[in-house]
Amino acid sequence: MEKTNDKLTVQNQFVSPWQYRWGLMRRNRGAMIGLAILVTFGILAAAAPWIAPFDPIKMDLLNTLKPPTSEHWLGTDELGRDALSRLLYGARISLTIGFVIEAIAVTVGVSIGAISGYFGGKIDAILMRLVDVISAFPFLIIAIAAVAVLGPSLLNMLLVLTGVLWVRYARLIRGLVLTIKTQEYVEAAQALGGSHVQIIFRHIIPGCLGVIIVQATFGIAGTILTASGLSFLGMGAQPPTAEWGAMLSGAKPHLRSLPVLSIAPGMAIMFTVLAINFVGDALRDAFDPHVLKVKLD
């Protein structure tokens, strides 16, 4: 295998690095299973308004805590709401929380880390001291304290998590930028008069893209777990919002009498996080330069 003009020669065929990585992903059975689970959950979440059998917040006090039947496949909760409908609508919120929070954290963290590493000096010292201060406190303690001060709500939880999670990307990208900015192609761009913004966002950050993608993939799983945990503690989504963590909290008193109310959202969280981790493991292998000896069909 040889690298020629940004393409890899694999069995006498030219493929781009991205095509090659996708080929490695396709060979990973766990990644394909995880991707299938995520796509399925995504489709179910997007189609929830059309496939959910009932309104997720409509109460039916004459049919509370009913076991699974042909009408209510997962039974009903303490207010007579259909558990399956709430599970489907909960997927919309839980998945959106994970992807949106991580996308914002990546954008903020990568930008700050790149600026800090590129300019160095006082800018680097100020930004990294801010990172050190935030990192000095346990993440979950900060999140719980901030949500308690601002008030429990889905929006406040999103703001708090976003305000904390960018730190891990800032420190990671700063370290990469310190190495990349000494490369010859970056020095050539500087010599040709490229602006700082162009050099950072067109030459340096693309060199960090593989690491960012892998880190963000694992970060999404952690964010979904954290958001579900905060909702379980009553500091995230508030009733009557259908969210997996909040559903677990509401089903807690009925764990013995109607366990399906706890099992369904718990399994949804577990399979989602497992699927994301499977994909993350495959991405980590695909972006590892030492695996280029693997051949595609």
Side-chain angles (χ1 to χ4, degrees):
M1 187 188 311
E2 299 175 352
K3 185 175 180 181
T4 308
N5 296 327
D6 294 329
K7 288 186 176 290
L8 297 170
T9 305
V10 183
Q11 294 189 352
N12 300 322
Q13 295 182 350
F14 289 102
V15 296
S16 70
W18 291 99
Q19 289 174 317
Y20 185 79
R21 293 183 179 111
W22 171 242
L24 295 178
M25 288 279 292
R26 285 191 291 109
R27 285 177 166 269
N28 190 313
R29 182 175 300 178
M32 292 297 99
I33 293 174
L35 195 59
I37 292 173
L38 291 178
V39 170
T40 301
F41 279 8
I43 292 174
L44 291 176
W50 296 278
I51 64 176
F54 297 93
D55 187 329
I57 63 174
K58 183 178 180 180
M59 297 183 293
D60 184 2
L61 299 180
L62 297 178
N63 291 288
T64 60
L65 297 176
K66 294 293 184 180
T69 63
S70 58
E71 184 180 10
H72 301 282
W73 289 9
L74 295 178
T76 61
D77 64 9
E78 69 279 3
L79 296 177
R81 298 171 297 193
D82 182 65
L84 176 59
S85 299
R86 291 182 62 77
L87 188 73
L88 293 173
Y89 274 88
R92 296 165 66 92
I93 295 178
S94 294
L95 294 177
T96 300
I97 287 173
F99 283 92
V100 169
I101 289 178
E102 207 62 27
I104 298 174
V106 167
T107 302
V108 175
V110 168
S111 300
I112 291 177
I115 292 171
S116 178
Y118 179 78
F119 289 103
K122 291 183 179 180
I123 294 178
D124 181 39
I126 293 172
L127 292 177
M128 285 302 103
R129 295 303 74 75
L130 175 62
V131 170
D132 291 338
V133 169
I134 297 177
S135 301
F137 297 93
F139 160 69
L140 193 57
I141 299 300
I142 294 179
I144 292 175
V147 171
V149 171
L150 296 175
S153 72
L154 200 58
L155 177 60
N156 288 341
M157 181 180 68
L158 188 149
L159 293 174
V160 169
L161 293 181
T162 302
V164 176
L165 293 178
W166 64 268
V167 170
R168 59 190 178 193
Y169 294 100
R171 190 181 296 278
L172 175 66
I173 298 305
R174 172 187 177 271
L176 293 174
V177 170
L178 289 175
T179 301
I180 293 176
K181 74 176 185 179
T182 61
Q183 299 296 315
E184 293 180 356
Y185 70 90
V186 176
E187 294 177 350
Q190 293 172 333
L192 291 173
S195 66
H196 295 313
V197 174
Q198 288 178 326
I199 294 172
I200 291 174
F201 290 98
R202 293 183 59 182
H203 299 286
I204 294 180
I205 289 183
C208 308
L209 195 57
V211 175
I212 295 172
I213 291 174
V214 174
Q215 182 67 27
T217 303
F218 289 113
I220 291 171
T223 301
I224 291 176
L225 277 176
T226 302
S228 298
L230 290 175
S231 294
F232 180 81
L233 296 174
M235 297 185 176
Q238 298 298 301
T241 304
E243 193 269 344
W244 288 343
M247 291 176 65
L248 276 173
S249 180
K252 183 173 54 177
H254 316 292
L255 183 58
R256 291 181 179 271
S257 59
L258 199 58
V260 67
L261 295 179
S262 299
I263 292 174
M267 294 289 285
I269 295 172
M270 184 190 74
F271 279 116
T272 300
V273 172
L274 278 176
I276 294 173
N277 284 335
F278 285 157
V279 174
D281 285 336
L283 284 172
R284 181 179 57 197
D285 293 340
F287 280 96
D288 185 352
H290 297 96
V291 302
L292 293 181
K293 60 183 180 181
V294 180
K295 294 184 179 180
L296 293 171
D297 290 333

